[in-house]
């Protein structure tokens, strides 16, 4: 059960309208790392969680908070669009500089949403459910959550420097703080999963004896220069850096296409120029004849 409280988690009042900034703020709503993404990511992680108790409660508490963040941002967008484009735009476009700026507003916020926010990013691309990660493995999911909060905080920080409006800045200061604590909580939860014996360093903690043991502790040096091998991962993590790795497979040649597909095809030749598969082709031809 979800219950809506008719108060925002934090105030969302700009000092003045700014239709262009409202367009930019859409990224924090419907972008790949926006609040819609973390909302749905955490909701599905919580609904799919097979452990009742602290982990599920943490996920669902955070998911429900993120719904409130979407509401805050949608409210801020609507207030930034107040008077635009009908009134504010008509007056502003008299100034050529302002006309160019207004040209950066999202017309769909007016035409489609009636002066409100959209479930889309700052380019108007609709939000996509493929943005979310909810695998059922808490270690893999919590690591994805850290990355999502880090990217979201990064984008919030960039947008923070794109406005001088004190009301917008105050809300973004709150959002920055929540992104900080969410990174902290997921990092701490990862360590607790290990301490509780539920997960280990590698996700998933399975098939470690089945995997190819020759290739689970090496980094292939595939870029110019020796700098990669100087990292702490070669000493602290004990990972070997292969400075001159050799390919382990043969040519990645696709097979002969179905004739009905009319794909351009030539049989593979070896180093001596001999056509491989010639005998087989001849046999096939003789069978047909």
């Amino acid at each position: 059960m979800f219950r809506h409280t008719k108060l925002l988690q934090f105030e969302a009042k700009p000092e003045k309208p700014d239709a262009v900034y409202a367009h930019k703020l859409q990224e924090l709503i419907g972008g790949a790392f926006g609040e819609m993404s973390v909302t749905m990511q955490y909701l599905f992680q919580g609904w799919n969680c097979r452990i009742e108790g602290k982990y599920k409660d943490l996920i669902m508490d955070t998911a429900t908070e993120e719904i409130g963040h979407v509401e805050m941002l949608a409210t801020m967008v609507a207030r930034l669009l107040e008077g635009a484009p009908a009134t504010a735009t008509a007056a502003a476009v008299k100034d050529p500089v302002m006309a160019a700026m207004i040209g950066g507003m999202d017309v769909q916020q007016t035409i489609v949403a009636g002066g409100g926010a959209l479930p889309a990013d700052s380019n108007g691309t609709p939000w996509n459910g493929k943005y979310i990660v909810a695998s059922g493995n808490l270690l893999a999911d919590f690591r994805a959550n850290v990355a999502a909060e880090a990217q979201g905080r990064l984008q919030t920080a960039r947008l923070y420097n794109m406005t001088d409006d004190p009301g917008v800045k105050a809300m973004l200061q709150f959002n920055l703080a929540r992104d900080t604590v969410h990174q902290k909580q997921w990092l701490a939860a990862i360590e607790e999963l290990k301490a509780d014996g539920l997960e280990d360093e590698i996700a998933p903690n399975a098939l470690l004896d089945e995997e190819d043991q020759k290739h689970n502790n090496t980094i292939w040096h595939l870029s110019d220069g020796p700098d990669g091998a100087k990292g702490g991962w070669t000493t602290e993590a004990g990972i070997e850096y292969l400075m001159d790795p050799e390919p382990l497979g043969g040519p990645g040649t696709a097979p002969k296409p179905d004739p009905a597909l009319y794909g351009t095809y030539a049989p593979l030749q070896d180093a001596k120029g001999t056509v491989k598969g010639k005998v087989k082709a001849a046999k096939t031809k003789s069978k047909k004849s």
Side-chain angles (χ1 to χ4, degrees):
M1 180 178 73
F2 290 88
R3 179 172 294 158
H4 178 239
T5 299
K6 295 181 181 179
L7 295 171
L8 297 176
Q9 186 183 12
F10 191 85
E11 193 56 83
K13 283 186 178 179
E15 188 175 85
K16 59 184 182 301
D18 186 341
V20 176
Y21 193 79
H23 187 178
K24 297 175 184 178
L25 208 56
Q26 281 288 155
E27 194 65 35
L28 298 187
I29 296 177
F33 302 103
E35 301 292 357
M36 286 183 64
S37 288
V38 287
T39 294
M40 299 307 295
Q41 180 155 308
Y42 301 160
L43 283 174
F44 276 92
Q45 287 179 7
W47 291 330
N48 293 338
C49 184
R50 302 300 198 271
I51 306 175
E52 295 294 336
K54 61 183 180 181
Y55 292 112
K56 186 166 186 172
D57 286 358
L58 175 65
I59 299 168
M60 292 304 296
D61 282 343
T62 313
T64 309
E65 177 183 350
E66 301 294 4
I67 299 174
H69 291 182
V70 177
E71 183 181 28
M72 286 164 51
L73 285 162
T75 302
M76 179 63 82
V77 165
R79 290 171 174 172
L80 285 166
L81 290 171
E82 185 179 0
T87 306
T89 306
V93 293
K94 294 176 183 178
D95 182 334
V97 177
M98 284 301 296
M101 290 181 62
I102 293 298
M105 68 181 291
D106 188 345
V107 294
Q108 288 213 353
Q109 288 175 328
T110 302
I111 299 169
V112 178
L118 296 161
D121 67 13
S122 53
N123 279 330
T125 305
W127 182 82
N128 193 321
K130 283 291 186 181
Y131 294 156
I132 75 166
V133 176
S135 70
N137 181 288
L138 292 185
L139 178 59
D141 284 352
F142 288 178
R143 284 177 172 164
N145 295 352
V146 175
E149 294 288 350
Q151 292 292 340
R153 192 177 192 281
L154 176 61
Q155 292 178 357
T156 301
R158 287 169 174 166
L159 280 160
Y160 182 79
N161 290 321
M162 294 180 187
T163 181
D164 293 321
D165 190 299
V168 176
K169 277 188 170 290
M171 186 196 72
L172 294 181
Q173 286 168 346
F174 176 81
N175 289 0
L176 287 167
R178 300 311 297 165
D179 289 342
T180 295
V181 74
H182 290 164
Q183 288 186 57
K184 289 179 180 178
Q185 74 181 41
W186 297 127
L187 289 168
I190 288 169
E191 296 307 312
E192 192 141 342
L193 282 172
K194 298 175 190 175
D196 288 345
L198 295 171
E199 296 292 342
D200 208 333
E201 289 292 333
I202 304 300
N205 186 27
L207 303 179
L208 296 174
D209 294 333
E210 297 289 328
E211 67 191 24
D212 191 329
Q213 301 299 310
K214 294 179 181 178
H215 301 291
N216 63 7
N217 203 42
T218 58
I219 297 174
W220 287 32
H221 176 250
L222 299 171
S223 57
D224 292 338
D227 292 339
K230 298 176 183 178
W233 40 85
T234 60
T235 52
E236 296 174 22
I239 300 174
E240 180 186 0
Y241 226 94
L242 297 181
M243 296 304 293
D244 191 22
E246 294 291 335
L248 304 176
T253 306
K256 184 178 180 179
D258 184 328
L261 298 179
Y262 309 109
T264 304
Y265 171 75
L268 180 67
Q269 296 183 348
D270 60 21
K272 297 179 181 179
T274 304
V275 175
K276 293 186 177 180
K278 192 173 183 181
V279 176
K280 185 177 180 182
K283 287 182 179 178
T284 305
K285 186 176 181 181
S286 64
K287 285 180 182 179
K288 288 182 179 179
S289 59

